[in-house]
Amino acid sequence: MRCRLCGKKAIYKELRFCEEHFTSYFDKKVKKVLSNPLFKDKKLLVALSGGKDSSALLFSLAKLVENEEIDFSLKKVEALYIELGISGYSESNLKASKELCNSLSINLNVVNLSDENGVSVDSVSKKSRKVCSECGVLKRYLINRFAFESGFDFVLTGHNIDDELFFAFHNLINGNLNYLARSGKITPTDNEKKLVGRVKPLYYVSEKETAIYCLINNVPFSREKCPYSKNNAQIEMKSKIPLLLDSKSKKISFLKHLNKLKKYFPLEEENSVEKCERCGFPTTTKICKFCRIIEKNK
Ligand code: SF4
Ligand code: ZN
Ligand code: ZN
């Protein structure tokens, strides 16, 4: 099969692109989101896990800035790695994150969950049957807290279209319409609530596409699998999504239609977001989930 733009050998059959045109297709998707004037002169923090998605995002972002395709300075972009304490996994992800940031000359911040709280995901796994959901709470909290306390305007994450579809189905099935209504490509910053806005530049990019991007551009990323991933409901549900949405265009169309429906979903009253009595970060209960997990596992 030949590339539909230049006639060279196509490496991505779904869209019929050669290596070069596939790379520019991917970079354009990132550029489209980040060209939003909202980000001009803002401090951006890329949440880097060491895996393929966030690594591809940081690599593409750095290239777009260097080629002056988006108008902001790399001095205002930093990365953050959360050391979760998962033995045999965290080490290789941190190594890949360091290698990528060194090659792009981007400052890598590291927050260590157990140094600061005396708890690791390994220790949480001994008491919890829902290790992935607690791991997710710990990660999101630490990313937001670091971004807020360090004065970042937005956090960029490597969530892709497959992650978004999981999120959409999961919340629809569980009736979490409020979460769904607040999700999307860009969520705003609210300094009063200590919530830093989130941006998902890979919102319309698939998992397969980020993997191809990393491979053809030699982006360093960790291929290590988390030992707890077999308990991850997300991986299980994601494998079923293609039974319903068997092409990229159907996935995009589903998300676009769902986004149009969001305005009809009931939003909780604004005052239902309170400050945690322990840490002062937002919560809908007296003590936030992060503080409760730490307390339970100390
Ligand atoms: Fe955390 Fe589960 Fe992902 Fe492992 S698979 S990093 S425990 S969410
Ligand atoms: Zn081509
Ligand atoms: Zn708290």
Side-chain angles (χ1 to χ4, degrees), residues 141 276 278-280 288 291:
Y141 176 93
C276 169
R278 300 259 158 86
C279 68
C288 77
C291 290

Side-chain angles (χ1 to χ4, degrees), residues 197-233:
R198 297 265 174 148
V199 188
K200 298 171 185 167
L202 306 183
Y203 194 80
Y204 288 128
V205 171
S206 71
E207 241 170 57
K208 188 175 162 193
E209 289 169 347
T210 54
I212 296 174
Y213 185 84
C214 287
L215 292 174
I216 62 183
N217 289 287
N218 295 318
V219 179
F221 71 96
S222 168
R223 287 158 174 84
E224 209 66 55
K225 240 179 152 187
C226 174
Y228 305 112
S229 59
K230 54 185 179 304
N231 306 323
N232 193 326

Side-chain angles (χ1 to χ4, degrees), residues 29 32 161 164-165 168 185 203-204 245 248-263:
K29 294 271 178 203
K32 194 166 174 202
I161 195 166
E164 284 309 302
L165 287 168
K185 224 185 313 184
Y203 194 80
Y204 288 128
L245 305 167
K248 177 93 184 288
S249 56
K250 283 186 195 162
K251 290 177 179 178
I252 292 176
S253 163
F254 179 85
L255 275 188
K256 285 193 170 161
H257 289 125
L258 189 67
N259 285 337
K260 280 188 196 154
L261 284 175
K262 277 184 191 167
K263 58 175 179 276

Side-chain angles (χ1 to χ4, degrees), residues 141 145 275-283 286-292:
Y141 176 93
R145 194 175 78 187
K275 283 187 177 164
C276 169
E277 280 182 4
R278 300 259 158 86
C279 68
F281 276 83
T283 175
K286 264 174 136 185
I287 313 277
C288 77
K289 276 190 194 162
F290 177 88
C291 290
R292 279 185 277 147

